[in-house]
Amino acid sequence: MIYLLEDDDSIRKLVIYALQSQGYEAAGFERPSEFWHAMGRRLPELVLLDVMLPEEDGLSVLKKLRSATATAAIPVIMLTAKNTEFDRVTGLDCGADDFVSKPFGMMELLARVRTAIRHTRTTSANSEIAREGTYTVGEMTIDYNKHQVLVRGENVHLTLSEFRIVALLGKFAGKVLTYDYIIKELWGPRAGGDNQILRVNMANIRRKIEKNPAEPEYLFTEVGVGYRMAENTDN
């Protein structure tokens, strides 16, 4: 099930039609109150969320989704008429997994939906990113089975996108993964070379994981190239 919260009636009907034509079960809502009522009955696999809404704005809705345990891991794609870097960064800081700027092409939106849902359905049996068991280095542990990252035994509550980044780097611990490689693995080839999403997510990850983000112990930047996870040298 995909939920769309969009107050523009024409856009809402068009997107729902496009999703259903691709075989997705989808429902659209004009107001956040309608959306929250539906969330109480059934949780979706993905949320498409407009920024400008009546009653409360999309960022407020997103923050509520991320703050509740039951909905924290649901991927959210923001739909916004605003295309400034500030607006994109704000949405990503609040926990959005991706964003599409209006006016958008339906093929692009559907591609991003497929990518988000594919990652949601990831299992260790069918994904290049996933692996089984845990990876531990220092006081940090990546639990691939539970999709959690723990530091000193405490869950740091990463968003879905943040966990995917850490999971991928953990799989190749000790090796430098280029920005382009990480972006294409996580957001698909259509994401292009813009690493804004990646940089914002990495900053959020470091704030949650590192004692001092300016002097990281686990996630290192190879300037102009990419990122590297610290390698466990005990084994």
Side-chain angles (χ1 to χ4, degrees), residues 5-147:
L5 180 50
E6 164 64 66
D7 65 330
D8 187 305
D9 187 60
S10 60
I11 294 177
R12 189 173 63 255
K13 289 180 178 178
L14 181 62
V15 172
I16 292 298
Y17 174 80
L19 290 169
Q20 291 176 342
S21 70
Q22 295 297 306
Y24 295 111
E25 190 178 0
F29 309 97
E30 179 182 1
R31 296 178 174 276
S33 56
E34 300 168 351
F35 170 78
W36 291 122
H37 183 68
M39 290 289 289
R41 299 194 309 270
R42 178 181 179 183
L43 293 180
E45 194 171 10
L46 172 71
V47 172
L48 300 175
L49 179 60
D50 188 24
V51 173
M52 304 299 292
L53 294 166
E55 300 178 347
E56 61 178 321
D57 64 47
L59 293 178
S60 175
V61 173
L62 177 60
K63 290 176 183 177
K64 290 179 181 178
L65 287 171
R66 291 295 178 245
S67 65
T69 302
T71 60
I74 296 174
V76 176
I77 299 177
M78 301 295 292
L79 308 179
T80 175
K82 300 179 179 180
N83 196 28
T84 67
E85 181 173 321
F86 174 79
D87 292 310
R88 288 181 289 175
V89 170
T90 301
L92 293 168
D93 276 340
C94 291
D97 295 279
D98 201 354
F99 63 89
V100 179
S101 299
K102 299 177 182 178
F104 51 80
M106 199 56 63
M107 295 300 292
E108 177 189 4
L109 178 62
L110 290 172
R112 291 178 183 270
V113 165
R114 287 193 297 270
T115 298
I117 289 180
R118 183 170 66 248
H119 287 309
T120 305
R121 294 172 178 171
T122 290
T123 67
S124 58
N126 65 13
S127 171
E128 290 299 315
I129 297 174
R131 54 183 278 181
E132 294 181 343
T134 62
Y135 172 71
T136 298
V137 57
E139 296 179 309
M140 184 192 72
T141 296
I142 306 171
D143 190 324
Y144 287 89
N145 296 329
K146 295 182 179 179
H147 283 217

Side-chain angles (χ1 to χ4, degrees), residues 199-211:
R199 288 191 289 112
V200 172
N201 275 284
M202 184 59 73
N204 290 337
I205 292 167
R206 281 183 169 140
R207 283 197 292 268
K208 295 177 181 180
I209 289 177
E210 304 284 3
K211 291 180 181 177

